[in-house]
Amino acid sequence: MTSRAVTVLAPNGRRQTVKCNLNTTILQILEDVCKKQGFNSSEYDIKHHNKVLDTSLTVQFSGLPNNAQLELAASTKSRKDSEIMVALNLEDGSRVLGTFLPSSTLQDILNTLYDSQKSNPVVIYMRREIYGEDLSRTDLRSLGLTGGRAMLRVVHKTPEELKTQANVSNTIPAKPVVEKPYKRVFQPVEVEESKKSPPKMEEAADDKILPQTKNYSARPDILKLAKEKIVEKVVTKECSPMDVDPQETENLESGQDSSLHNEEVDRSIVMEQAQSERMKEMKLEDFPFTGVRHGLIYHIESSNPRPMDDPPDDFFNLTINDAKTILRDVRKHAEEAEEGGPLLTAALRQLEESKKQLRHLSKYRKCIIRILFPDRVILQGVFAPKDSIKTVSEFVKEHLAVANIPFYLYTTPPKYILPEDKMLLEVDCVPVALLHFGLDEKYRNDQIKFIREDLKDKFTTNSMASLAAQMIRNGDRKKIAESSDENPIAGCSKDSDSMSNPVKRNTNSSGKVPKWFKGT
């Protein structure tokens, strides 16, 4: 067994080195140090980095490294030995309970609670196997148990099996990878071309090789294929039965389910494309706003993500540009770790925060706030950066079915309840933020309705709400650009530059060089 050593600093200023192994308990190290330094072990604890270690743990499960530096500190409560409730977990799944003192050996416990005619009993405690003569020499105190409860596992093994490690099962074999056969998609050919020139043997051979070499080639546009589906169906109806290869028809019948699924996906993509084109032609007055602040209500599950194809294997190959980017990021993190961030006082930190807020005020005139309810309904509104959380709460209260119910708004993670007297700019809710609607436990109910019934017909989708927010933001940017053109900000002068950079190197106007300066 691997031998280790730990160093313990005693209260008298002396350091004691204790040799141990993985099965040595913290209690044994404590008693060994107290015995050599003349202290009472029941009045002291062992600390590692100001953390009191559990005396019942072993070195293996305590997380102590080799040559760890420990400290012997006075305990707040004197440690006393008490009776231990021991449970024996037998091989048949049953348990036997008994009460013993810390000085009781494992052999005494087996004789009292377990009487079996089988030979070679093995007691397992925290992955430590104890058998043979060690059962009579090992007591509960040597296992780190001085009180409370403990569970021991009893098994029977032959002497040849005692060297195998406990709680280790056979590894699960990997599932064999079965390569799926390539299914060729039926693509009809025009009737006139098929009548003029019959297929040649060389072209058929090329068709057999083509699927193997075309697996990771550039894929065509999905939208373009979706539009061509209708044309393919018409051509399929006009084709004669003689133009179809029997092998291709078998492949087509075997892949009928997948083709139907692809048609449904393509149809949904075409519908989404048509809807997006209609949304581009919409104006801000066409959205179903609930009232002031351009309020919109939608469900979080209204967005349907598009299915994405798996990238080819070439996508995961590391290129030279990728390696350069990774190396640049690693060097940047290493420099930041060595140099560290600048040390700022409280006044400088407050000044930096004020500068950040001023930048947001000059850049954003409006901010989009979304409130997520427990029933996964989202309420969206437009606010000014200087508006308070109380203003947002009043906006939410106007849409609630029960107006007098007490609630609060919070952000996560971690959960932080927003105070109502703070501005949106002060709680980092500019330019966009997602807030959560919270209730006290006594008001929580699965059947509670949050949004008013008269607003059910004004529910919209996630894409519509995002489009409305984008149009509002674009209009805000145009106003900011117009105001900046009317009132241009003067550039910084030399005086302002000197004030912003007060620390400059003093130059000698006479042109003389000091004696201590050595030119290069």
Side-chain angles (χ1 to χ4, degrees), residues 299-313:
H299 202 275
I300 197 173
E301 297 179 355
S302 61
S303 60
N304 297 323
R306 293 184 179 180
M308 299 181 63
D309 295 334
D310 295 334
D313 293 345

Side-chain angles (χ1 to χ4, degrees), residues 420-431:
E420 292 188 350
D421 56 342
K422 293 288 186 180
M423 294 188 300
L424 295 175
L425 189 64
E426 296 177 349
V427 292
D428 293 335
C429 291
V430 179

Side-chain angles (χ1 to χ4, degrees), residues 211-231:
Q212 299 177 358
T213 59
K214 200 177 179 181
N215 284 338
Y216 299 105
S217 61
R219 299 186 178 181
D221 190 4
I222 299 177
L223 296 177
K224 186 177 180 181
L225 291 176
K227 292 181 180 179
E228 294 176 356
K229 281 288 181 179
I230 302 173
V231 181

Side-chain angles (χ1 to χ4, degrees), residues 23-28 54-58 84 86 102 104-106 109 123-126 128-130 134-135 137-146 150-152:
N23 291 329
T24 304
T25 61
I26 304 298
L27 182 60
Q28 293 178 359
D54 189 1
T55 56
S56 62
L57 293 178
T58 59
I84 304 172
V86 179
S104 302
T105 62
L106 298 181
I109 297 175
V123 177
I124 302 175
Y125 178 71
M126 298 183 71
R128 178 184 175 185
E129 294 182 352
I130 306 169
D134 293 338
L135 294 173
R137 293 182 298 207
T138 306
D139 55 359
L140 296 177
R141 189 176 186 85
S142 61
L143 298 178
L145 300 174
T146 58
M151 178 180 291
L152 306 178

